[in-house]
C-alpha cells in the first residue's frame, strides 16, 4: 500500500502518468468525477498541470465534459465509439453529441440545427454519413407520421415515439385493441357470472366478481393473442376503455406490500357490470336516429308524412 | 316555451278537443296571458266558441284565469299551461298504472277523471259502476260501495286530490278551475288542508246496465231527471288526478328497475321497500328520502323475500358502495340509517339516457368518447384519443360529429390574449344539463312527428276506414234483425282481400306509432324529472 503511494507521489509530475491516473479514476466512477475528486487524489498536482492533462484528454476525445447541478463532471468516453468516431470531424462529433443527449426520445433534425448552429444542408449530410456508419438511426414518430427523429443506433425507442404496444409501423392497431377489449370484458363477465351462480352471501358474491389487473394480465398473456409482450399498464389502459364503455367498474383497495399485482400498496380491481337502463325510448323511433332530424318539418321536403325511414320502420 | 312544445301541444289539443280548442289553445300558448277580447279578436273565432274552448281547457286544468293586471276592474285574463297539456301524452301511462295498482275499478276511475278533467266523487262512482256493469255478464252488477272504496283508496294514496276551491263567487261553477284570485301563481292543491279528505256520500244501489238499442237510451233519459235531483252530500267537491303523485310513482319505479338492472332483484326489492316506507313522509321534491334505520327497513321487508338481518346489512352496504350511489348512508344509529338519493338517482338515469342516445345514434365508440368526457370533464383532443384508444383520425371524426350535434362542447383556453390557435388549449367537455334539455326538445319533436305520421296514415286510408265502419254497422244491424248467414257473408265480402290486408297493415302501423309515442314519453319523463330536480337543487324554492 505504502509502496503504491510512494510510487504515485514520485511519478505524479509526469504528464502521461497524470493522464493515466485520471483515466483510472474515471474507470472507478463510471458516472463521472468532479474536479474535486482529482484534486483529492493528486493533492500535489499544480492546478495548471491538471488543466493541461484534462485538456489534452478532452482534445483526444477520450474524456467527456458534462455539466450537472454540482458543477463540471469528467467522464470517460466509450472507447468503442471514440474508435468509430475516428476520422470524423468536429462537426460530426458535435451532431453526434446532440443526438446522444436526446436519449431514446430522439431528436428532430430541425432541433439539431438549433442546438448545433450548423446549416441544414450540412446537418443532412452529416446525418446521412452517421447513418451509413450505423452510429445513429432514424425512427418515425407516431405523433407525426412525417417527422423523423434521430437517436443512437443501439437505443430502444421510447414509448412516446413508437406508441408502445398499440402501434406497429406507426399505425395504431385498433383491431388489436378491440380484440383485447372484448377479451378482457369476456373474462370479467364470466368471472361475474361464476360469482353470481355461486349462491353465496351477497358480499362474497360481489367480492369474488372482482378481478385484479394482474389476473386480467395473466389471463391475456396465457391466451396468447398478443405477439408483443404486454405490460400491466397496457392491460390497465385496455381496462380503462372498458370503463368508458360503461361495461366495467373499478375500485382501488389497499393491498399488502408484495402481494402479486399490487402497486404502491394499492391494487386495482375490476368487475363487469350491467347498464342501468335499456336503450331509451327515443332511440327506438326512427326520429331518434334520423340524420336529417333538424331539417324535418311538416309540409317541407322532408316531413313525417313522406319520411322514408318511417316507411321502412312501419313495414318492418 | 319552445316551438317544439307549442307544436306538440297543438297536436295534442287537436286530437283530444278538436280544431277550435286547438286554435284558442295554441294562440294562448304563443301569446301568453290574454283577456277574452284579445283572444276573440286575434283568433277571429266567434265569442261563443272561444268561451266554450276556454271552458274545456279550464275543465281540464289546462287554463287558468286571473283578474287583469291593470288593477281592479280590468278584464279577466286567461293563461294556458303547456306542462298540463303535455300531460295528455302520458294519460295511457297513468291509466295503466292505476290498473296495475288498483285493478279495473281504479283504471276506470282514473280514466273517467282524466277524460272529464274533474268530477264529483258521486258522479265518478256512478259512471264507473255503470261501465263495469256493462262489461259484466248478463244479470250481474257491481255495488257502488265497492267503487267508492276503490276511490277512497286512490285518495288515501294521494293519486287523486280535491280541486282547490275558488274563493269568491262561482265556487261551484262547472268551469271552476284551480286559480287564485290574489296572485298570478298557481296555488298548489296541497295547500288546502282538506285536499285528501274523502267526503261522506250517500250513494246506494248498483251499477246500471246501459241497454243497447233505441228504447234503452230513452229509458235512461227518462230516468235521468229522477236521479239528478238526488243529493249525495258531496256537491261542489270536485276531484282531479294528482299528476305529481303519479310522477313520484314513475320515478320510484324507474329507480327500482335501475337497481334491479345494475345489481340484482333482491337489492331492488330492498330499495322498493325503502321507497314505499318513505312514500308519505318524504316531501315530493326532496333530494333524498327521510333517513331510515336498518332495523326499520328489516321490519318493513315483506316476509316473503326471506332476507335475514345480516344479509340485509350486506345488501345495504353493497348499495351504498355502488358507484351509482342510489342509496346513501346517513349515520350509524339504529343499525345504520340509510336514504335513497332521489336526485342523484335521477341524474344517473338521465346520464344513462344521454349515453344510450349517443350509443345508438353514433355507435359504441362515440359513446366511449362521450362517457370519457362525462367522467373526466375537460380533455384535449390528444388525451381523448389516448384514453379512448381510438386512432387519431377516427377519434377526431367522432369528436367533431358530436360537437356539431351539440352533444359535446368546446372550451377555448388561450395562453395569450390573442387566441392564436397554436397557443390555445382546446378542451372538450360535456354539459349534462343543457344536453338533457336539448334532447328533451328532440323528444317533443319526435312525438309530434309520430302524431303527424299517425294522422297522415289515418287520413290516407280514410275512405277505407269509413267503408269498413259502415260495413260493420250494417253487419251489426243485420245480426240484430236476425238475417240469414248468407246475407251476412255477402256483406262481409264487400271488403276485398287487398283492402282487408291494407286495413290490417294500417292497424299495425297505428299500434307501432302509438307504442313509440309512449316509449318516447318515458324518455321525456326521465329527462323532465332530472331537469326539474336539478334546477330545484341549484335555485332553492322560491318562497313557497
Amino acid at each position: 500500500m505504502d509502496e503504491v503511494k510512494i510510487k504515485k507521489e514520485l511519478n505524479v509530475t509526469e504528464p502521461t502518468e497524470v493522464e493515466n491516473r485520471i483515466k483510472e479514476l474515471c474507470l472507478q466512477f463510471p458516472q463521472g468525477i468532479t474536479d474535486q475528486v482529482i484534486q483529492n487524489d493528486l493533492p500535489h498536482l499544480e492546478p495548471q498541470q491538471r488543466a493541461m492533462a484534462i485538456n489534452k484528454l478532452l482534445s483526444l476525445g477520450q474524456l467527456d465534459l458534462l455539466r450537472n447541478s454540482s458543477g463540471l463532471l469528467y467522464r470517460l468516453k466509450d472507447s468503442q465509439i471514440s474508435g468509430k468516431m475516428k476520422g470524423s470531424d468536429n462537426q460530426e462529433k458535435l451532431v453526434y453529441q446532440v443526438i446522444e443527449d436526446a436519449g431514446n426520445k430522439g431528436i428532430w433534425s430541425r432541433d439539431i440545427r438549433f442546438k448545433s448552429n450548423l446549416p441544414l444542408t450540412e446537418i443532412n449530410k452529416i446525418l446521412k454519413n452517421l447513418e451509413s456508419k450505423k452510429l445513429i438511426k432514424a425512427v418515425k414518430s407516431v405523433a407525426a407520421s412525417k417527422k423523423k427523429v434521430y437517436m443512437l443506433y443501439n437505443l430502444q425507442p421510447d414509448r412516446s415515439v413508437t406508441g408502445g404496444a398499440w402501434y406497429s409501423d406507426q399505425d395504431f392497431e385498433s383491431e388489436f385493441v378491440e380484440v383485447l377489449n372484448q377479451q378482457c370484458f369476456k373474462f370479467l363477465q364470466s368471472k361475474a357470472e361464476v360469482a353470481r351462480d355461486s349462491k353465496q352471501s351477497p358480499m362474497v358474491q360481489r367480492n369474488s366478481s372482482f378481478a385484479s389487473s394482474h389476473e386480467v394480465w395473466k389471463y391475456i398473456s396465457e391466451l396468447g393473442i398478443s405477439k408483443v409482450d404486454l405490460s400491466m399498464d397496457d392491460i390497465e389502459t385496455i381496462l380503462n376503455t372498458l370503463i368508458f364503455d360503461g361495461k366495467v367498474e373499478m375500485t382501488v383497495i389497499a393491498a399488502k406490500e408484495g402481494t402479486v399485482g399490487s402497486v404502491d400498496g394499492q391494487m386495482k380491481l375490476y368487475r363487469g357490470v350491467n347498464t342501468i337502463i335499456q336503450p331509451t325510448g327515443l332511440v327506438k323511433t326512427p326520429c331518434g336516429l334520423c340524420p336529417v332530424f333538424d331539417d324535418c318539418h311538416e309540409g317541407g321536403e322532408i316531413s313525417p308524412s313522406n319520411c322514408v325511414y318511417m316507411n321502412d320502420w312501419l313495414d318492418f | 316555451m319552445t316551438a317544439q312544445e307549442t307544436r306538440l301541444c297543438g297536436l295534442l289539443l287537436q286530437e283530444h278537443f278538436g280544431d277550435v280548442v286547438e286554435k284558442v289553445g295554441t294562440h294562448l300558448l304563443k301569446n301568453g296571458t290574454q283577456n277574452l277580447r284579445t283572444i276573440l279578436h286575434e283568433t277571429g273565432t266567434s265569442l261563443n266558441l272561444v268561451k266554450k274552448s276556454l271552458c274545456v281547457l279550464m275543465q281540464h286544468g289546462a287554463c287558468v284565469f286571473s283578474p287583469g293586471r291593470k288593477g281592479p276592474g280590468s278584464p279577466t285574463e286567461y293563461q294556458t299551461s303547456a306542462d298540463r297539456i303535455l300531460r295528455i301524452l302520458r294519460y295511457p301511462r297513468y291509466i295503466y298504472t292505476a290498473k296495475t295498482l288498483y285493478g279495473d275499478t281504479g283504471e276506470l276511475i282514473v280514466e273517467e277523471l282524466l277524460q272529464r278533467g274533474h268530477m264529483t266523487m258521486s258522479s265518478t262512482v256512478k259512471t264507473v259502476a255503470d261501465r263495469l256493469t256493462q262489461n259484466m255478464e248478463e244479470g250481474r252488477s257491481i255495488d257502488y260501495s265497492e267503487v267508492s272504496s276503490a276511490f277512497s283508496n286512490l285518495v288515501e294514496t294521494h293519486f287523486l286530490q280535491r280541486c282547490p276551491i275558488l274563493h269568491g263567487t262561482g265556487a261551484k261553477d262547472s268551469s271552476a278551475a284551480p286559480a287564485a284570485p290574489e296572485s298570478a301563481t298557481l296555488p298548489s292543491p296541497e295547500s288546502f288542508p282538506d285536499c285528501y279528505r274523502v267526503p261522506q256520500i250517500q250513494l246506494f244501489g248498483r251499477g246500471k246496465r246501459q241497454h243497447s238499442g233505441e228504447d234503452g237510451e230513452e229509458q235512461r233519459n227518462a230516468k235521468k231527471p229522477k236521479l239528478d235531483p238526488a243529493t249525495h252530500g258531496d256537491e261542489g267537491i270536485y276531484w282531479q288526478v294528482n299528476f305529481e303523485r303519479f310522477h313520484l310513482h314513475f320515478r320510484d319505479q324507474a329507480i327500482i328497475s335501475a337497481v334491479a338492472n345494475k345489481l340484482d332483484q333482491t337489492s331492488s326489492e330492498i330499495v322498493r321497500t325503502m321507497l314505499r316506507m318513505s312514500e308519505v313522509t318524504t316531501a315530493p321534491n326532496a333530494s333524498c328520502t327521510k333517513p331510515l334505520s336498518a332495523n326499520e327497513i328489516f321490519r318493513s321487508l315483506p316476509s316473503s323475500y326471506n332476507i335475514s338481518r345480516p344479509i340485509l346489512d350486506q345488501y345495504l352496504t353493497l348499495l351504498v358502495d355502488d358507484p351509482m350511489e342510489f342509496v346513501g348512508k346517513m349515520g350509524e344509529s339504529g343499525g345504520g340509517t340509510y336514504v335513497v338519493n332521489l336526485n342523484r338517482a335521477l341524474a344517473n338515469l338521465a346520464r344513462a339516457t344521454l349515453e344510450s342516445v349517443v350509443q345508438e345514434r353514433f355507435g359504441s365508440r362515440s359513446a366511449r368518447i362521450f362517457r370519457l368526457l362525462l367522467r373526466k370533464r375537460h380533455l384535449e383532443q390528444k388525451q381523448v384519443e389516448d384514453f379512448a384508444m381510438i386512432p387519431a383520425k377516427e377519434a377526431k371524426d367522432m369528436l367533431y360529429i358530436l360537437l356539431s350535434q351539440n352533444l359535446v362542447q368546446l372550451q377555448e383556453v388561450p395562453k395569450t390574449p390573442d387566441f392564436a390557435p397554436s397557443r390555445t388549449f382546446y378542451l372538450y367537455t360535456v354539459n349534462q344539463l343543457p344536453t338533457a334539455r336539448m334532447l328533451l326538445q328532440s323528444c317533443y319533436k319526435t312525438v309530434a312527428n309520430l302524431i303527424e305520421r299517425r294522422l297522415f296514415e289515418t287520413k290516407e286510408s280514410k275512405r277505407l276506414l269509413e267503408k269498413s265502419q259502415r260495413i260493420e254497422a250494417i253487419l251489426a244491424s243485420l245480426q240484430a234483425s236476425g238475417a240469414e248467414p248468407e246475407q251476412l257473408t255477402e256483406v262481409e265480402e264487400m271488403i276485398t282481400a287487398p283492402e282487408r290486408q291494407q286495413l290490417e297493415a294500417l292497424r299495425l302501423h297505428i299500434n307501432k306509432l302509438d307504442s313509440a309515442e309512449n316509449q318516447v314519453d318515458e324518455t321525456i319523463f326521465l329527462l323532465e324529472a332530472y331537469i326539474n330536480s336539478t334546477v330545484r337543487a341549484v335555485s332553492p324554492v322560491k318562497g313557497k
Side-chain angles (χ1 to χ4, degrees):
Chain A
M1 199 66 190
D2 272 357
E3 257 183 324
V4 179
K5 225 176 184 177
I6 292 161
K7 196 181 165 194
K8 216 185 268 174
E9 278 180 9
L10 279 176
N11 302 322
V12 87
T13 43
E14 287 284 322
T16 45
E17 274 305 307
V18 175
E19 279 164 30
N20 285 340
R21 182 67 202 147
I22 291 175
K23 275 200 233 166
E24 253 171 61
L25 276 174
C26 287
L27 274 176
Q28 262 176 25
F29 304 95
Q31 73 272 35
I33 51 169
T34 60
D35 212 31
Q36 195 66 41
V37 177
I38 305 173
Q39 229 175 83
N40 290 346
D41 196 71
L42 307 163
H44 303 292
L45 199 68
E46 295 282 315
Q48 216 175 343
Q49 276 177 309
R50 198 169 66 231
M52 239 165 65
I54 287 171
N55 277 338
K56 193 169 173 215
L57 283 172
L58 280 174
S59 67
L60 281 172
Q62 287 179 319
L63 262 196
D64 247 350
L65 186 61
L66 299 166
R67 186 192 302 256
N68 77 348
S69 52
S70 56
L72 294 174
L73 265 183
Y74 304 104
R75 201 168 64 186
L76 204 61
K77 240 188 194 165
D78 205 328
S79 59
Q80 197 192 352
I81 286 172
S82 57
K84 274 184 190 167
M85 290 298 285
K86 253 178 205 146
S88 336
D89 57 359
N90 277 339
Q91 289 187 348
E92 229 166 88
K93 276 183 195 161
L94 182 65
V95 171
Y96 182 84
Q97 201 124 41
V98 169
I99 293 173
E100 191 181 17
D101 287 344
N104 64 354
K105 287 225 165 55
I107 186 164
W108 193 22
S109 56
R110 234 180 76 178
D111 293 330
I112 301 178
R113 193 180 69 184
F114 288 135
K115 287 204 171 170
S116 63
N117 270 332
L118 292 170
L120 192 64
T121 46
E122 194 77 3
I123 285 177
N124 281 339
K125 215 172 77 192
I126 294 167
L127 285 175
K128 219 173 253 173
N129 210 345
L130 286 172
E131 252 182 288
S132 67
K133 282 185 191 167
K134 296 221 160 167
L135 286 173
I136 60 162
K137 62 179 168 185
V139 177
K140 272 188 196 152
S141 166
V142 286
S145 55
K146 293 274 166 58
K147 202 164 134 181
K148 264 195 210 168
V149 295
Y150 293 91
M151 63 184 75
L152 294 192
Y153 193 77
N154 51 358
L155 286 181
Q156 182 73 34
D158 189 73
R159 288 179 70 102
S160 64
V161 182
T162 60
W166 316 122
Y167 288 84
S168 76
D169 298 335
Q170 287 78 51
D171 287 329
F172 185 82
E173 290 204 64
S174 57
E175 276 170 38
F176 178 48
V177 169
E178 283 313 299
V179 168
L180 280 178
N181 177 293
Q182 280 159 20
Q183 285 301 332
C184 288
F185 181 56
K186 221 185 251 173
F187 175 68
L188 292 174
Q189 211 178 21
S190 61
K191 189 140 187 175
E193 248 159 50
V194 170
R196 213 166 316 147
D197 296 339
S198 65
K199 295 272 177 289
Q200 274 163 314
S201 73
M203 207 59 151
V204 178
Q205 264 188 41
R206 200 245 339 222
N207 288 348
S208 57
S209 69
F210 275 117
S212 73
S213 43
H214 184 260
E215 283 173 74
V216 184
W217 173 74
K218 227 172 113 188
Y219 169 76
I220 296 292
S221 324
E222 278 167 10
L223 264 185
I225 28 177
S226 161
K227 276 174 277 169
V228 269
D229 272 338
L230 294 172
S231 67
M232 281 251 292
D233 284 341
D234 291 334
I235 292 295
E236 273 175 26
T237 3
I238 293 283
L239 286 168
N240 279 337
T241 63
L242 277 171
I243 295 178
F244 304 136
D245 281 342
K247 293 173 179 169
V248 160
E249 237 170 54
M250 186 195 72
T251 40
V252 177
I253 58 158
K256 245 185 268 159
E257 200 60 63
T259 323
V260 204
S262 73
V263 180
D264 300 332
Q266 282 180 345
M267 201 145 103
K268 284 182 181 158
L269 294 182
Y270 297 83
R271 74 190 196 109
V273 289
N274 305 322
T275 50
I276 57 169
I277 55 162
Q278 304 296 319
T280 183
L282 175 66
V283 289
K284 288 182 188 160
T285 63
C287 296
L289 309 169
C290 182
V292 287
F293 186 67
D294 294 332
D295 303 320
C296 180
H297 301 285
E298 191 53 53
E301 192 85 341
I302 301 164
S303 77
S305 319
N306 63 14
C307 177
V308 282
Y309 300 109
M310 206 84 96
N311 287 343
D312 291 348
W313 175 66
L314 285 175
D315 292 328
F316 181 65
Chain B
M1 169 60 42
T2 62
Q4 300 305 343
E5 276 174 88
T6 317
R7 172 167 167 241
L8 181 53
C9 286
L11 282 167
L12 287 170
L13 285 177
Q14 188 183 27
E15 217 182 351
H16 286 255
F17 308 119
D19 289 334
V20 184
V21 180
E22 188 257 338
K23 197 170 179 188
V24 176
T26 27
H27 178 76
L28 273 176
L29 280 175
K30 277 181 187 156
N31 296 291
T33 315
Q34 277 190 332
N35 60 36
L36 186 59
R37 174 156 298 279
T38 337
I39 302 173
L40 204 62
H41 182 69
E42 289 182 8
T43 54
T45 320
S46 76
L47 175 67
N48 199 16
L49 281 178
V50 171
K51 273 185 174 171
K52 277 184 181 161
S53 334
L54 285 174
C55 277
V56 168
L57 288 175
M58 279 175 198
Q59 172 80 15
H60 287 269
C63 178
V64 290
F65 61 88
S66 50
R69 285 163 296 180
K70 288 174 186 149
S74 62
T76 310
E77 289 181 326
Y78 299 89
Q79 187 185 9
T80 52
S81 88
D83 279 346
R84 178 58 188 77
I85 298 173
L86 289 173
R87 293 288 154 282
I88 296 176
L89 197 57
R90 214 162 283 161
Y91 279 3
R93 204 169 165 201
Y94 298 131
I95 296 170
Y96 179 72
T97 311
K99 189 187 173 81
T100 45
L101 290 177
Y102 296 98
D104 289 342
T105 323
E107 175 195 358
L108 287 181
I109 292 173
V110 172
E111 190 185 327
E112 283 298 322
L113 279 174
L114 285 175
Q115 259 166 13
R116 309 203 178 183
H118 56 262
M119 287 169 92
T120 61
M121 177 167 169
S122 49
S123 61
T124 317
V125 169
K126 264 192 270 178
T127 335
V128 170
D130 287 351
R131 279 184 63 186
L132 279 170
T133 312
Q134 185 77 18
N135 289 334
M136 282 177 165
E137 290 165 39
E138 198 68 41
R140 291 184 58 196
S141 60
I142 191 161
D143 202 325
Y144 282 150
S145 62
E146 267 179 62
V147 183
S148 294
S149 73
F151 192 95
S152 317
N153 276 341
L154 276 164
V155 175
E156 262 164 43
T157 43
H158 297 196
F159 281 112
L160 301 180
Q161 63 187 180
R162 283 190 191 196
C163 298
I165 298 160
L166 283 185
H167 299 273
T169 56
K172 287 171 189 170
D173 196 310
S174 65
S175 68
E182 291 87 9
S183 65
T185 56
L186 210 74
S188 80
E190 306 257 348
S191 52
F192 297 95
D194 287 347
C195 172
Y196 298 115
R197 203 169 55 81
V198 184
Q200 289 288 321
I201 58 165
Q202 291 92 43
L203 196 63
F204 306 104
R206 307 184 75 81
K208 286 163 197 66
R209 191 170 298 275
Q210 195 180 359
H211 296 284
S212 52
E214 297 297 307
D215 38 315
E217 198 61 36
E218 265 169 40
Q219 220 178 345
R220 248 179 77 83
N221 288 346
K223 261 186 194 168
K224 242 185 181 169
K226 267 184 254 165
L227 269 172
D228 271 351
T231 53
H232 304 297
D234 68 338
E235 278 68 29
I237 303 175
Y238 288 93
W239 295 88
Q240 64 185 15
V241 173
N242 184 1
F243 297 112
E244 282 307 311
R245 180 66 185 84
F246 272 100
H247 291 172
L248 293 183
H249 182 76
F250 295 159
R251 180 197 65 192
D252 291 353
Q253 292 302 315
I255 294 175
I256 291 166
S257 84
V259 173
N261 280 338
K262 179 79 202 301
L263 296 149
D264 59 358
Q265 204 58 42
T266 323
S267 323
S268 78
E269 295 302 339
I270 292 171
V271 174
R272 188 195 299 276
T273 311
M274 289 175 76
L275 286 169
R276 191 178 299 140
M277 283 165 72
S278 57
E279 229 163 36
V280 190
T281 52
T282 308
N285 47 18
S287 69
C288 58
T289 58
K290 287 263 153 49
L292 298 165
S293 77
N295 290 331
E296 281 178 288
I297 300 173
F298 182 62
R299 248 177 282 130
S300 311
L301 273 180
S303 49
S304 58
Y305 293 161
N306 241 336
I307 302 173
S308 69
R309 185 60 214 274
I311 298 288
L312 172 71
D313 282 340
Q314 289 195 4
Y315 269 118
L316 285 171
T317 326
L318 284 187
L319 280 165
V320 173
D321 282 350
D322 193 80
M324 286 291 165
E325 296 181 78
F326 290 120
V327 174
K329 191 167 189 174
M330 290 300 277
E332 294 295 340
S333 54
T337 48
Y338 297 89
V339 292
V340 181
N341 288 322
L342 300 169
N343 279 4
R344 182 77 52 76
L346 279 178
N348 276 328
L349 283 168
R351 203 187 62 206
T353 309
L354 301 189
E355 287 171 0
S356 131
V357 170
V358 176
Q359 169 124 13
E360 301 296 322
R361 211 166 142 190
F362 304 104
S364 51
R365 283 170 152 216
S366 298
R368 187 187 292 173
I369 294 180
F370 189 75
R371 283 202 195 88
L372 174 69
L373 289 173
L374 269 173
R375 218 162 224 279
K376 304 252 178 190
R377 307 269 177 233
H378 293 274
L379 284 182
E380 277 185 88
Q381 193 173 304
K382 181 83 181 81
Q383 290 171 300
V384 171
E385 290 159 14
D386 288 349
F387 279 122
M389 304 276 291
I390 296 173
K393 212 174 156 199
E394 287 174 47
K396 221 184 285 180
D397 208 31
M398 292 174 194
L399 258 181
Y400 293 173
I401 287 177
L402 288 176
L403 188 65
S404 70
Q405 297 288 327
N406 273 335
L407 289 161
V408 164
Q409 282 79 36
L410 184 65
Q411 167 80 55
E412 292 176 340
V413 183
K415 279 186 250 182
T416 48
D418 60 354
F419 280 83
S422 58
R423 287 186 293 277
T424 308
F425 294 112
Y426 290 95
L427 299 176
Y428 291 88
T429 182
V430 174
N431 292 332
Q432 195 173 332
L433 188 58
T435 314
R437 282 210 174 99
M438 190 189 71
L439 275 186
L440 184 61
Q441 295 308 318
S442 349
C443 284
Y444 288 143
K445 185 170 177 184
T446 305
V447 177
N449 281 353
L450 291 171
I451 294 178
E452 295 227 31
R453 179 69 187 208
R454 185 153 50 80
L455 295 177
F456 171 77
E457 293 271 330
T458 21
K459 207 179 88 198
E460 283 292 284
S461 334
K462 199 173 176 193
R463 190 196 60 83
L464 203 58
L465 280 174
E466 275 170 5
K467 187 180 172 185
S468 83
Q469 265 165 8
R470 240 190 349 260
I471 286 170
E472 264 164 44
I474 294 171
L475 273 178
S477 68
L478 278 178
Q479 249 164 352
S481 63
E484 300 290 309
E486 294 93 64
Q487 244 179 317
L488 288 177
T489 44
E490 199 176 298
V491 176
E492 254 174 57
E493 274 163 11
M494 284 168 75
I495 298 183
T496 58
E499 277 177 330
R500 204 177 293 281
Q501 220 169 3
Q502 216 178 329
L503 276 173
E504 186 59 23
L506 177 70
R507 201 179 53 79
L508 271 177
H509 287 185
I510 304 281
N511 279 349
K512 207 174 218 174
L513 287 164
D514 269 334
S515 66
E517 274 170 47
N518 292 334
Q519 283 172 347
V520 179
D521 182 62
E522 275 173 43
T523 312
I524 293 182
F525 170 72
L526 256 184
L527 292 174
E528 273 180 347
Y530 161 67
I531 291 169
N532 289 340
S533 72
T534 320
V535 170
R536 244 189 340 251
V538 171
S539 63
V541 190
K542 290 172 238 158
K544 192 177 172 183

